Amino acid sequence: MSKRIVLINGAPTPVGPCSQGVVMDGWVWTSGQVGLNPATGELVGPDVATQANQALHNIEAILRAAGSGLNQVVRVTVFLTNMDDFPAVNAVYANYFATDFPARSCVEVSRLPRGALVEIDAMARVNRLASR
């Protein structure tokens, strides 16, 4: 199966030489998403909950374009600039993943692109019919 690049208007333009997502062999991997508004390219707000909500919304749009969805996500990585923000991000995350939770890692990092407070990436199964 060949590699297919996901590039849509419903998610922010990549910051740097990367793709929004890559589909291959029935799987999709998203690049890390920060809380950028796709229309403006700016961070959506100064707080981690607002940024996490936008990052997950961006991931959802990329997954849909790839022929997948949040219910197909098997792995998520969350990067925080302050681990004290974990409860706030968890509360937002629970709105997107209510049951059948994907595996997840969460790590604290010193900085993120564009001064973001949180970055999230995902790996999901792609609907076989949609990946053709």
Side-chain angles (χ1 to χ4, degrees), residues 1-105:
M1 180 179 268
S2 63
K3 178 170 75 170
R4 179 170 58 95
I5 301 302
V6 179
L7 184 60
I8 60 168
N9 292 330
T13 302
V15 178
C18 62
S19 302
Q20 292 169 329
V22 176
V23 177
M24 189 168 180
D25 292 335
W27 294 94
V28 56
W29 293 264
T30 71
S31 287
Q33 296 296 306
V34 297
L36 294 179
N37 178 319
T40 66
E42 300 296 324
L43 282 173
V44 293
D47 64 285
V48 73
T50 303
Q51 290 183 24
N53 187 66
Q54 184 65 52
L56 287 163
H57 181 74
N58 295 342
I59 287 171
E60 187 173 29
I62 294 165
L63 293 174
R64 255 195 326 270
S68 187
L70 291 172
N71 64 332
Q72 297 291 80
V73 173
V74 297
R75 178 91 168 110
V76 173
T77 307
V78 178
F79 303 92
L80 296 171
T81 59
N82 184 341
M83 195 56 79
D84 291 340
D85 289 335
F86 185 74
V89 171
N90 234 13
V92 172
Y93 186 90
N95 292 325
Y96 287 84
F97 300 103
T99 61
D100 297 328
F101 306 114
R104 178 178 72 178
S105 295

